[in-house]
Amino acid sequence: MAQPFPYTYYACDCFDSNTAASASRAAQTPADDEDARTFDPRSPRSNYALYPLEHLLYCEDCQQIRCPRCVIEETLNWYCPSCLFEVPSSVVKSDGNRCTRNCYNCPVCTSPMTVSSLEKPTEPSATGGPYILACPYCHWSTVEIGIEFEKHTGITNQLSRIANGGKTLPTQKERDKERERRKEAEARGGIGGRDILSGSEDSPTRDGEGNAAPPGHDDIFSNLSAFYKAQMQAQTPSNPFSPHDLNFSSPSTYSRIMNLYSSTASKKQKREKPALMREAASALEGLALHDPASDIAAIERIKKEGWASTLSPARKLAQLNPHVRFDSELRPTASLLCTKRGKRCRSCRHILSKPESKITSTRYKIKLLALNHIPRLSLRALSPATTTTTPGPSHPPFNYNALRPGIPIHFLLHLSNPLFDPIRVTLATPSTTPGAIASRITILCPQFDVGANTDVWDDALSSSLSPIAKRSGDAQFEAGKIYDRGRNWTAVVLEVVPGFVTPLGGKRDEADGDVKGGGEVDADLLEIPVFVRIEFEADVSVEERGLGDSRGSKGEKERREEAFWTVLGAGRIVDV
Amino acid sequence: MSSQPTPSRPGPDRRTSTLQKRSSVLPKPSSIVLDVSVLIAQHAQLTGTHAITVGANSVLHPHCKISSAFAPVVLSEGVVVYERAKVGLGIGDSGEVGGDSRRSSVASARDASSGRSEGTLLGNNVVIETNAVVEAAEVGEGTVIEVGAVLGRGCVVGKFCTVSAATVLAPNTNVPDYTVVYSGVERRLDKTLQARPELQEMKAFQHARQIEMFKKLVPNQVVKWM
């Protein structure tokens, strides 16, 4: 996550809470044990644990921050992004995750298509003329694949009935009927002479043309799925829990019952194993044999129409049938549905974020953000010029990308408290930053209070926190004293002495010109790990009271304490 | 300025006092041939030394710029040029700002003879949308140059093409008829329009209705240029 300096990242606890992690940690060198306690922003694992405060949620039951890896998402509702129509999840389970109304995307450029009418303004027709789907961006339309619609609604139904070129596609019922009829015709025609590639002999009218064209993608699919359904039905007993059910349609049940009642030796050879499941054996069952003639036809077509008539892999794969090759076989793709999701805590299943169920509203019913429970730390450089008078145009702004090593730089760490109670903050940081370049960090005031996030008027009326007079502009940073405070924030000073990128007077080991210490990427990045611990007294909520507590005690405060690691990105150290 | 009683045009020195604030400092074109049915909105600029011809029923929206500084410009019938569009050679980046560089680019315009006469020709019913820059040599009929497109000099665009928004065509590109230029460099043939002439008729019909609408809504300042 590249952010401009200075930034603050918060570490989620999930990065070191597993036992697996501790087991692997035992195998590490003792030097790393030190790092196991202090947070090392340079370790590869911390890459996955650091998030800006805006990305984090907070679970009130567990009283911990939850990063995007510690939450479970669940979909609340499905909707189409172009027509904004909510699709119930039962319909999604049966019809699929695409819009079944009129929302289609262009197969060429993926922009949403519009339904336009082909009627001539001079001769208006009854229904408003034939309709087509047209793309307003690349001007592709269903005219190019030969499809026109009669009505402008229910495009999905109409599209499923028409193949490219205007031929009608049979529906599922018609396919079933046709399949049954053909099966009977084949069974009647006898077993001999049944050649797979040629059609059945005694087929009347329709089959002549049906066998000339190879079965389409959808035909093969429907044949195959019907075949597998039949196989599975034959295998599993209809009711596994009643052995006395005389259901002879399932061969396994039949054989089992027959074995029960006829256990004489003479019948043993008649005992057959139940028929194994077999694969499809004919075109009617979904077997699609590869026909080299189709390849030759495709090659001839490329020779005739040119390379531009073939489809690129991206367009092919976006189609429902990814084996199409030519742009006359393109079909409009229905828009994918989008979801609205809520998030839950992974450990206690408490809802952390829940959007409103209305599709068009972007608000949230429940929104437990870390912003409202964790103090916000922000870093700002405090160059001596800015403390005196207001910086005029002659003072250059502080360059975070060019921190000079060896010179102490002061940063202002600003903590703002979102809670309604005053908190006591303790900060801790290792004295030198981990990593190749060791910069010395000193927090001048490691323990201080921050006021509660009360209303502005409350604070003005009461004077619990005596207002501290504005600093009279001196540049003294005293250890043990805060720099400034306000109603719900406090600022303290951090003194940083950046380390040297290349060791002073040291030899350069690398032969190449890359002088970053240790050859690491971003070794000159000054990141300060700070451990923040806040203590406060909060009202005890109803669920947290134990069973033994009396109900009458209200307003009882309980001490609470929270702690987390943060990483303050201060800048980049230049090589002097 | 429109209240000039004499039909003859006064000389440039007498004109400067009544110049609109926003008109360019280039001399007025030597000849503007306008059809009577042309709609020129106010603040449209027709500048340059060569001839500008505007065909019947064309519409020039406010703040559009037609420049014939280097070569004549011909707009055929029914051409609609939207606001802030620029038509004419040298009007885009290829023509630098400034007087002396203008001389050099005029010289280069004469030297770079591409075998066809220099000039910009827009065919019938061409639509140049907002902020487009057309320095092309020829734009065929029915073509739509969408918002922000840039056609380099010497481009030849066929008829019923669509140059989609913000596309930049390099100088001297040739776009065949019925092509859609989209997505930067992609091109495809608009087979729908090609295969169905009734769609072309419908487009022309809707185009004509749009021009009627413009005539009703946009005040016409064509007398200023007659």
Side-chain angles (χ1 to χ4, degrees), chain A residues 534-546:
Chain A
I534 62 176
E535 294 159 353
F536 57 101
E537 294 186 348
D539 291 331
V540 179
S541 56
V542 180
E543 299 96 35
E544 291 167 5
R545 263 190 262 148

Side-chain angles (χ1 to χ4, degrees), chain A residues 119 137-139 141 144 148, chain B residues 183 188 190 192 196 202:
Chain A
E119 101 182 278
Y137 185 60
C138 68
H139 294 267
S141 76
E144 301 198 15
E148 287 175 17
Chain B
S183 210
R188 60 180 301 275
D190 187 355
T192 312
R196 298 292 187 102
M202 272 204 341

Side-chain angles (χ1 to χ4, degrees), chain B:
Chain B
M1 237 194 88
S2 50
S3 58
Q4 288 267 345
T6 58
S8 65
R9 288 151 54 109
D13 46 356
R14 280 178 63 188
R15 188 82 76 75
T16 48
S17 59
T18 50
L19 263 182
Q20 285 181 2
K21 279 201 187 119
R22 294 221 185 134
S23 69
S24 86
V25 292
L26 290 174
K28 290 282 186 264
S30 52
S31 79
I32 306 187
V33 178
L34 301 175
D35 193 272
V36 286
S37 55
V38 167
L39 170 71
I40 302 188
Q42 62 173 348
H43 299 306
Q45 294 177 30
L46 285 83
T47 54
T49 46
H50 295 263
I52 297 184
T53 314
V54 185
N57 284 326
S58 292
V59 176
L60 298 179
H61 280 259
H63 294 279
C64 71
K65 299 177 178 53
I66 317 265
S67 155
S68 61
F70 304 123
V73 176
V74 177
L75 275 64
S76 309
E77 300 186 0
V79 172
V80 178
V81 183
Y82 277 86
E83 288 86 347
R84 288 178 147 254
K86 299 179 190 157
V87 180
L89 214 58
I91 207 167
D93 285 342
S94 70
E96 287 93 338
V97 186
D100 34 25
S101 59
R102 190 167 26 110
R103 231 182 297 128
S104 65
S105 37
V106 166
S108 66
R110 262 189 246 126
D111 292 339
S113 53
S114 52
R116 52 185 306 130
S117 56
E118 286 282 339
T120 307
L121 167 65
L122 302 183
N124 295 338
N125 293 343
V126 167
V127 177
I128 315 278
E129 291 195 5
T130 321
N131 258 334
V133 174
V134 177
E135 298 182 46
E138 180 185 332
V139 178
E141 75 166 295
T143 297
V144 177
I145 312 286
E146 288 190 8
V147 175
V150 174
L151 273 68
R153 53 183 293 173
C155 276
V156 175
V157 182
K159 56 181 184 167
F160 292 107
C161 288
T162 307
V163 179
S164 61
T167 312
V168 175
L169 284 182
N172 293 320
T173 30
N174 186 4
V175 180
D177 294 346
Y178 298 102
T179 313
V180 180
V181 183
Y182 67 101
S183 210
V185 295
E186 306 265 346
R187 294 199 190 174
R188 60 180 301 275
L189 266 184
D190 187 355
K191 297 192 187 127
T192 312
L193 214 48
Q194 199 178 26
R196 298 292 187 102
E198 64 257 26
L199 287 176
Q200 299 170 12
E201 286 170 19
M202 272 204 341
K203 258 186 101 164
F205 184 72
Q206 282 165 355
H207 187 79
R209 282 174 73 171
Q210 200 180 35
I211 292 183
E212 271 178 47
M213 234 25 206
F214 286 142
K215 291 202 170 155
K216 286 186 205 162
L217 295 176
V218 182
N220 198 348
Q221 305 264 352
V222 69
V223 289
K224 195 164 49 167
W225 301 92
M226 288 290 207

